[in-house]
Amino acid sequence: MIKVQFAARLERWETYAAPLRSAFAEAGLDVDLRIDHAPDTVDYVIYAPNSGLTDFTPYSACKAVLSLWAGVEQIVSNQTLIMPLCRMVDPGLTAGMVEWVTGHVLRYHLGFDRSIAMQDRWEPHVPPLAMERPVTVLGLGALGQACAKTLTQLGFPVTGWSRSSKVIDGITCRHGDDGLAQALSAAEIVVLLLPDTQATENTLNAKTLAQLPKGAHIINPGRGPLIDDTALIAALDSGHIAHATLDVFRIEPLPADHPYWAHPNVTVTPHIAAETRAITSAPVIAENIRRGETNEPYLHLVDRNLGY
Ligand SMILES: NC(=O)c1ccc[n+]([C@@H]2O[C@H](COP(=O)([O-])OP(=O)(O)OC[C@H]3O[C@@H](n4cnc5c(N)ncnc54)[C@H](OP(=O)(O)O)[C@@H]3O)[C@@H](O)[C@H]2O)c1
């Protein structure tokens, strides 16, 4: 019997227990799933950073920690976590992010705010077509690539930027420092889907914001530290950046006195861009446990040196 500990918030247990048990049965795994195993008997930990679990030392027999979250910045450098760590790539999470990003890109592209604000005037405003609106996606991983592909299908010319070089049909791919300048110079809308690592901190700063064309829009569902907040507020105040939609912040919930709340050209959303869904993530967890039991390579293994 494989012992699996569910370490997430208690309300999550109610949502996840049944889908996980069905996924384990579907995968032919004999699993004892609980929230209260004796730590030294546990084979796998299903983990969310807000569970309160920070010391993995008692999980001495644990073969892998399986994160329910895509972003692993809160756990990746935990010195007590010496076993493999897998992040979440879940079709539901991906679909949710694609919908959220596409919705916010279309809000900017079609000028929905202008139409809503002009309810008392007949002032026709014809937006350009998607093919005339370049979009850049920073990060071409599971989420960035899915968003970039959908935006391409809608007709937007999409440029993507990643750490390593890539060739993706229909997307202009850039990488490295020079690649970032090229990716930003053409972008009317920028979507940030990078992980939060030492290398990605302040990817958008005074220098890189200045590389964007005047009037560019920013959408950040990635992580707060990707943007230098002071530099962004200065770029918004000067009008160089037209508007920013921010879902993630250095401190969450965003403090009540943070200037983003009151800024007329900032939309704040409360870290809701994409959620891991029990029904779609349970089979991913089950597959990784099956792999662990048969000594096959884990899916979505985190590279501890790179931090994602
Ligand atoms: N707001 C929300 O609700 C929400 C929900 C889920 C996830 N997220 C965030 O979205 C992030 C991305 O998720 P994902 O699943 O797409 O991650 P992923 O598959 O690990 O992809 C990360 C991408 O970022 C690129 N990258 C990493 N470091 C870089 C650097 N220094 N310079 C340039 N590119 C770099 C990677 O390049 P390579 O391809 O070359 O490795 C990769 O393309 C997560 O880390 C999380 O923070 C937010």
Side-chain angles (χ1 to χ4, degrees), residues 58-305:
Y59 293 85
S60 48
C62 179
K63 298 172 193 168
V65 170
L66 309 172
S67 173
L68 288 174
W69 291 19
V72 290
E73 70 280 355
Q74 292 184 40
I75 188 186
V76 73
S77 53
N78 185 322
Q79 297 297 316
T80 68
L81 202 162
I82 51 170
M83 54 295 272
L85 168 66
C86 301
R87 57 193 202 86
M88 178 50 68
V89 175
D90 147 36
L93 181 77
T94 304
M97 186 61 83
V98 168
E99 291 172 20
W100 190 90
V101 165
T102 306
H104 285 283
V105 166
L106 289 176
R107 170 191 173 195
Y108 286 149
H109 170 60
L110 297 174
F112 287 158
D113 290 16
R114 183 186 166 122
S115 313
I116 291 164
M118 294 205 173
Q119 284 305 291
D120 54 352
R121 272 161 290 168
W122 184 271
E123 277 184 22
H125 164 70
V126 181
L129 290 171
M131 62 190 225
E132 298 166 301
R133 179 87 71 191
V135 178
T136 285
V137 180
L138 303 181
L140 284 174
L143 300 176
Q145 223 173 107
C147 292
K149 284 180 180 161
T150 297
L151 294 170
T152 301
Q153 282 158 11
L154 287 173
F156 293 100
V158 178
T159 298
W161 182 68
S162 52
R163 187 183 49 81
S164 55
S165 88
K166 292 198 193 309
V167 177
I168 306 170
D169 209 21
I171 297 167
T172 304
C173 294
R174 308 281 189 203
H175 69 283
D177 286 349
D178 293 347
L180 179 60
Q182 290 171 317
L184 294 178
S185 66
E188 291 187 23
I189 301 174
V190 182
V191 179
L192 289 101
L193 276 167
L194 295 161
D196 174 9
T197 68
Q198 273 182 11
T200 62
E201 186 172 9
N202 294 332
T203 295
L204 286 191
N205 53 39
K207 180 180 161 207
T208 51
L209 285 165
Q211 290 165 347
L212 285 162
K214 185 171 164 49
H217 292 75
I218 290 167
I219 300 173
N220 185 15
R223 282 292 184 261
L226 300 177
I227 298 180
D228 175 337
D229 297 319
T230 307
L232 176 58
I233 289 169
L236 287 159
D237 288 344
S238 75
H240 183 68
I241 300 300
H243 199 280
T245 293
L246 309 172
D247 185 55
V248 283
F249 305 92
R250 282 185 154 79
I251 301 173
E252 295 181 8
L254 184 65
D257 59 352
H258 197 286
Y260 281 148
W261 283 116
H263 202 289
N265 295 331
V266 173
T267 298
V268 170
T269 60
H271 200 144
I272 41 83
E275 175 85 1
T276 303
R277 321 273 161 153
I279 201 74
T280 47
S281 62
V284 180
I285 299 275
E287 171 60 11
N288 254 344
I289 293 177
R290 189 198 66 72
R291 285 170 173 252
E293 293 303 292
T294 52
N295 290 321
E296 290 173 61
Y298 288 112
L299 297 173
H300 321 308
L301 191 64
V302 171
D303 181 325
R304 307 295 280 278
N305 293 321

